[in-house]
């Protein structure tokens, strides 16, 4: 069985109300579930700059300094993303912040093609996020200075700010995704139901599928009951075939 463009339009038209109901329910469910059941997350970010401390006098030395600093970014991130570093950060904070807690809430990432990397702190409380980010910014340069005997060092280029709005979840985005998914799933269900429906639905199916000619067709009437008790029949364009 194949679907023509006309068949697709007929299936969509026949199931449009069902599809919209499913999509709206899915979108509304996702929105309220996200807004009511998922705790908001706030993110505070601090940016650090790798200072190579090389007095470049030529373009070659400038390029070397730049490449050296970029390579050190990945190394510094690995050094800072350790239990040793998080233990030192925990010492700067109240007792409720353990090293394991900090490690699960702090994320280091490189800023592409620069000597800058950032530490993002995500917590359910915006004050907690900024407090931890400030401590990371304070301890990170000290840790790097202790671990490396090199010309490179860390500088803070962007201090942490108190987040005013949650970074996640996003109820609107989730609702849109769920709405689209509801449309797609309901459309798939409509096509599957039509595919496995063996009833003859259109005139041409008698000749194309069954190889039988249509000698006569009985129109389908819709009866509308009026207030005076009388009925009037209106002929529907869809026909039910009568096999001769």
């Amino acid at each position: 069985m194949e679907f023509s463009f006309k068949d697709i339009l007929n299936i969509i038209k026949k199931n449009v109300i069902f599809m919209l109901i499913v999509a709206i329910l899915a979108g509304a469910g996702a929105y309220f579930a996200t807004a009511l059941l998922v705790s908001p997350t706030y993110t505070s970010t601090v940016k650090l700059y790798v200072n190579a401390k090389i007095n470049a006098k030529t373009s070659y030395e400038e390029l070397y300094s730049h490449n050296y600093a970029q390579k050190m970014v990945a190394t510094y991130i690995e050094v800072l993303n350790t239990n040793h570093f998080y233990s030192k950060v925990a010492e700067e904070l109240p007792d409720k912040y353990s090293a394991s807690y900090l490690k699960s809430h702090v994320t280091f990432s490189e800023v592409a093609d620069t000597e800058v990397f950032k530490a993002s702190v995500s917590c359910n409380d915006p004050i907690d996020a900024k407090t931890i980010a400030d401590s990371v910014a304070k301890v990170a340069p000290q840790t790097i200075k202790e671990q490396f005997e090199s010309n490179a060092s860390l500088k803070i280029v962007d201090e942490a700010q108190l987040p005013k709005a949650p970074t996640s979840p996003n109820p609107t985005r989730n609702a849109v995704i769920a709405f689209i998914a509801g449309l797609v799933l309901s459309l798939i269900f409509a096509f599957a139901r039509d595919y496995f429906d063996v009833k003859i639905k259109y005139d041409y199916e008698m000749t194309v599928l069954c190889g039988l000619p249509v000698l006569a067709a009985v129109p389908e009437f819709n009866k509308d009951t009026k207030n005076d008790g009388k009925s009037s029949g209106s002929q529907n364009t869809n026909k039910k075939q009568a096999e001769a």
Side-chain angles (χ1 to χ4, degrees):
M1 184 174 180
E2 297 179 354
F3 288 106
S4 65
F5 182 72
K6 181 180 179 180
D7 294 336
I8 295 174
L9 291 180
N10 287 332
I11 293 173
I12 293 176
K13 182 179 179 181
K14 185 171 61 176
N15 296 276
V16 63
I17 296 178
F18 167 74
M19 293 167 57
L20 288 176
I21 291 176
V22 172
I24 292 173
L25 290 177
Y31 181 88
F32 288 110
T34 303
L36 301 177
L37 301 180
V38 180
S39 300
T41 300
Y42 297 85
T43 301
S44 183
T45 302
V46 58
K47 291 184 178 180
L48 303 101
Y49 167 73
V50 178
N51 181 20
K53 293 183 179 180
I54 297 177
N55 296 325
K57 297 180 180 180
T58 64
S59 58
Y60 173 80
E61 291 177 346
E62 290 180 358
L63 179 61
Y64 172 80
S65 176
H66 175 73
N67 293 336
Y68 176 77
Q70 280 190 330
K71 291 181 179 179
M72 294 306 295
V73 167
T75 303
Y76 285 1
I77 288 177
E78 290 299 320
V79 172
L80 296 177
N81 195 27
T82 59
N83 293 326
H84 173 72
F85 170 72
Y86 290 118
S87 297
K88 297 186 69 173
V89 176
E91 293 175 359
E92 298 285 334
L93 296 168
D95 294 337
K96 69 174 184 176
Y97 303 104
S98 63
S100 59
Y101 175 87
L102 295 175
K103 191 171 185 178
S104 62
H105 288 76
V106 179
T107 303
F108 290 98
S109 58
E110 301 181 33
V111 178
D113 298 327
T114 66
E115 300 97 321
V116 178
F117 66 96
K118 60 184 179 179
S120 301
V121 183
S122 299
C123 298
N124 297 127
D125 188 338
I127 297 178
D128 285 351
K130 184 181 184 304
T131 300
I132 296 173
D134 289 337
S135 297
V136 169
K138 179 181 178 180
V139 177
Q142 300 173 0
T143 303
I144 293 301
K145 186 176 181 180
E146 293 172 0
Q147 296 292 329
F148 292 91
E149 296 179 358
S150 64
N151 292 327
S153 62
L154 281 182
K155 291 185 177 181
I156 308 301
V157 295
D158 193 7
E159 296 182 351
Q161 302 295 324
L162 181 66
K164 297 181 180 179
T167 53
S168 66
N170 190 330
T172 302
R173 181 188 61 189
N174 293 346
V176 171
I177 294 174
F179 181 87
I180 296 174
L183 277 179
V184 173
L185 291 177
S186 60
L187 182 61
I188 293 174
F189 176 80
F191 274 98
R193 183 174 59 181
D194 190 89
Y195 180 82
F196 291 105
D197 186 1
V198 296
K199 295 183 295 184
I200 300 299
K201 294 177 285 297
Y202 310 110
D203 291 348
Y204 70 87
E205 292 182 353
M206 293 292 293
T207 56
V208 174
L209 299 180
C210 301
L212 299 175
V214 178
L215 301 181
V218 178
E220 180 179 347
F221 292 92
N222 293 329
K223 293 184 177 180
D224 299 327
T225 304
K226 297 183 179 180
N227 295 330
D228 57 1
K230 297 181 180 180
S231 300
S232 61
S234 61
Q235 182 173 347
N236 195 320
T237 56
N238 294 329
K239 298 179 179 180
K240 293 184 178 179
Q241 290 74 30
E243 185 176 337

